[in-house]
Amino acid sequence: MSGKADPRTAGEGTTTSRTRLDRGRGALGPALELVHTGRAPTRAVLTAELGVTRATAGAVAAELEALGLIRVDARPGAAAGAQGRPSHRLAVAEEGPVALAAQVHADGFRAALVGLGGRIVATAPGCETVDADPAKVLGSVVDAGAELLRASGRRCVGAGLAVPSAVAEPDGLALNPLHLAWPVGAPVRRIFEERVRAAGITGPAFAANDVNLAALAEHRHGAGRGARDLLCVATGHRGVGGALVLDGRLHTGSSGLALEVGHLTVHPEGRPCHCGSRGCLDVEADPLAFLTAAGRAPGPEESLLKQSEDLLRDHYDDPSVRTAAEALVDRLGLGLAGLVNILNPDRIILGGLHRTLLEADPGRLRAVVADRSLWGQSGGVPILPCILDHNSLVGAAELAWQPVLDDPLTALA
């Protein structure tokens, strides 16, 4: 029998290897997202989640490690009682690339570097003064981020900006930055991108509403993990915002303006709202509304959000504070019940002052929502506090990381 290969099958091994390689490259993005969100802690889980062979999963993990994005632990300890060979552990690379994240709110702005896994690697000292010129503010926050990058020596994949305004697509215009004194329709994404380029930072630049980004971060790394239809409602330093994540993606509507929950009417005879209506959540359930209802004059030394949260945590037994908190809980619960009736989410998460209100009296808020919502009466919707520190910053970084999660080879080329 001849030792020569059969010419009819000589190319089969090469073809199989090429097919496995092509399939592996197509799986790089999904694999990275699984590790990024903590859903594939081992190579065995990665294999099962991707639906590929063990060899393909190994090749995918090795390529992501070669790109400096993940770390593969080839010598994991076997779990007690486990049988068979223990699987390699997977984790994001602690010294890998970062995204520049920036956030502007009514009481200041901040820059940070955020790695894969939603890890905040470094933050710049926050600024408490927001100029009426968006170009000046965004220039300052980008300069702070650029200094962090220089000090870290890390590669930057891009930049993301969180702002307390609806951001209209496709032009990236801040339509209602009411608490910033910025002009209506300010082109925040274009300005941010220009400042990012001027600072010598490569990669794409993005901008979006801060509560949308908080919801995205919590869905991937925090209290929203595992939810399919996630509703997030939060107070920033002023006003109330909302966001909806459907099947892992932000629902932003036809032009980026969906879920303006701050303008749900919850007290028809209430305070005048900036939108022209009265009694909207935006002015009935934010930090300023709480301080006013509790008879406390806001001070200039701290943000309204911090003053409100400190008052709730330290003086909840004070009758005036408790009465004000109960009024806000009832109005928030009324708004949430309406949203539950319309959206039927499988989980609600609350941020900012709303998180602190939930922690102060969880039973009251859940009872109001259950009593006022059709679906709540049949079993209730879990209502949980957000758990990530600086979740809007982490969400801003998620915008910059998304092209890498979609196609690591192209994004890092």
Side-chain angles (χ1 to χ4, degrees), residues 5 21 24 40 48 72 83 85 101 105 107 118 129 164 208-209 282-283 316 325 334 362 406:
L21 180 60
V72 180
Q83 298 191 5
R85 186 167 58 184
H105 52 72
D107 293 301
T129 302
N209 171 261
D282 213 49
V283 292
Y316 190 66
L334 182 61
D406 291 339

Side-chain angles (χ1 to χ4, degrees), residues 298-320:
E301 66 281 354
E302 290 180 320
S303 75
L304 296 175
L305 179 59
K306 187 174 189 310
Q307 291 176 62
S308 299
E309 291 183 324
D310 288 347
L311 184 62
L312 259 177
R313 289 177 177 138
D314 299 338
H315 302 284
Y316 190 66
D317 290 336
D318 183 314
S320 64

Side-chain angles (χ1 to χ4, degrees), residues 104-301:
V104 180
H105 52 72
D107 293 301
F109 58 84
R110 179 179 294 274
L113 303 182
V114 184
L116 282 168
R119 299 171 304 111
I120 296 180
V121 173
T123 58
C127 177
E128 297 180 357
T129 302
V130 180
D131 195 272
D133 180 0
K136 187 178 294 186
V137 177
L138 297 183
S140 296
V141 74
V142 169
D143 287 345
E147 182 57 37
L148 288 177
L149 279 171
R150 283 190 289 272
S152 73
R154 303 274 193 114
R155 177 176 183 174
C156 183
V157 300
L161 169 68
V163 292
S165 168
V167 178
E169 298 297 343
D171 298 319
L173 308 180
L175 291 190
N176 58 341
L178 297 169
H179 303 300
L180 296 182
W182 287 1
V184 173
V188 290
R189 188 170 63 213
R190 177 179 61 78
I191 296 171
F192 183 60
E193 185 173 18
E194 289 172 352
R195 296 302 182 270
V196 166
R197 296 289 165 265
I201 299 170
T202 58
F206 305 89
N209 171 261
D210 54 359
V211 179
N212 276 353
L213 297 180
L216 182 61
E218 292 285 346
H219 185 267
R220 291 183 174 180
H221 309 293
R225 265 186 180 163
R228 193 184 64 140
D229 298 335
L230 175 70
L231 172 64
C232 175
V233 176
T235 52
H237 294 254
R238 290 287 304 276
V240 175
L244 184 66
V245 179
L246 299 176
D247 291 325
R249 299 288 177 180
L250 275 172
H251 174 70
T252 56
S254 61
S255 56
L257 308 180
L259 270 292
E260 278 292 305
V261 305
H263 298 291
L264 286 172
T265 299
V266 293
H267 187 204
E269 305 303 320
R271 299 175 177 86
C273 183
H274 329 283
C275 71
S277 186
R278 299 185 73 90
C280 296
L281 268 179
D282 213 49
V283 292
E284 295 291 340
D286 80 336
L288 181 59
F290 173 65
L291 291 171
T292 302
R296 297 323 199 254
E301 66 281 354

